[in-house]
Amino acid sequence: MKIAIRYQSRGGNTRAVAEVMAKELGLKAESIDKPLDGKVDVLFLGGGVYKFDIDPKLKEYLEKLDPKQINQIVAFTTTGWMKTALNKISEYAKKAGIKVNENKLYLRMMLQGHGMIGREGGHLTDEQVAKIKKFASDVLKG
């Protein structure tokens, strides 16, 4: 089974989550700037919420994905309160004709990494790391 992990991250939170998943699965997490290398069975794809939507670069990435190249997407997000990113990733993937796995990871990060208040992102608690690892391995088992 070929698996890839891609993320869009402004403050570092989603990147940190992607890197934990990658380590757990023995992979390398890459920014959405890095194209997929061939066909993948599972694409873990993450991003955050910005003004009640996903980042325009992530939206464009999803719109350009080839459904023949990806069997399914597993969405993940880091955000304060809203699960909007999960819904939007799913919505755009389905519009592109790509199956979306029912398992999704919503990791509440509050304002960590929020540029307006100057907090650096990407610092995960032991509990968050454990949740990410369990999520990644459970998706592949299921």
Side-chain angles (χ1 to χ4, degrees):
M1 178 183 305
K2 187 167 180 186
I3 303 162
I5 300 173
R6 294 293 186 272
Y7 64 86
Q8 175 279 316
S9 185
R10 287 188 187 178
N13 294 331
T14 306
R15 176 185 36 91
V17 171
E19 289 173 351
V20 170
M21 274 195 266
K23 188 174 180 181
E24 177 69 12
L25 300 174
L27 302 169
K28 183 174 182 184
E30 303 275 2
S31 163
I32 58 171
D33 297 329
K34 169 103 167 133
L36 291 173
D37 183 25
K39 184 173 170 55
V40 296
D41 297 302
V42 179
L43 173 62
F44 285 87
L45 182 62
V49 176
Y50 309 100
K51 298 181 184 175
F52 302 99
D53 202 351
I54 56 176
D55 186 271
K57 289 180 185 178
L58 181 56
K59 197 182 300 185
E60 182 181 339
Y61 178 82
L62 281 156
E63 289 170 347
K64 290 182 177 181
L65 285 177
D66 180 355
K68 295 176 187 161
Q69 190 177 15
I70 303 161
N71 186 35
Q72 67 177 307
I73 286 178
V74 177
F76 64 97
T77 188
T78 57
T79 186
W81 293 101
M82 298 173 286
K83 295 183 182 180
T84 303
L86 293 176
N87 297 336
K88 291 293 185 176
I89 290 170
S90 296
E91 175 186 326
Y92 290 113
K94 288 176 182 174
K95 277 184 188 176
I98 302 168
K99 178 183 173 187
V100 179
N101 191 294
E102 292 178 11
N103 297 300
K104 297 172 179 65
L105 176 66
Y106 165 62
L107 195 65
R108 185 175 287 175
M109 299 293 289
M110 298 309 294
L111 294 175
Q112 182 178 320
H114 195 284
M116 289 178 55
I117 59 175
R119 297 175 104 184
E120 182 183 338
H123 302 287
L124 303 171
T125 66
D126 291 342
E127 183 179 314
Q128 289 169 327
V129 169
K131 182 177 181 177
I132 297 162
K133 288 179 176 182
K134 182 176 180 345
F135 171 76
S137 61
D138 285 354
V139 166
L140 295 186
K141 286 178 191 171

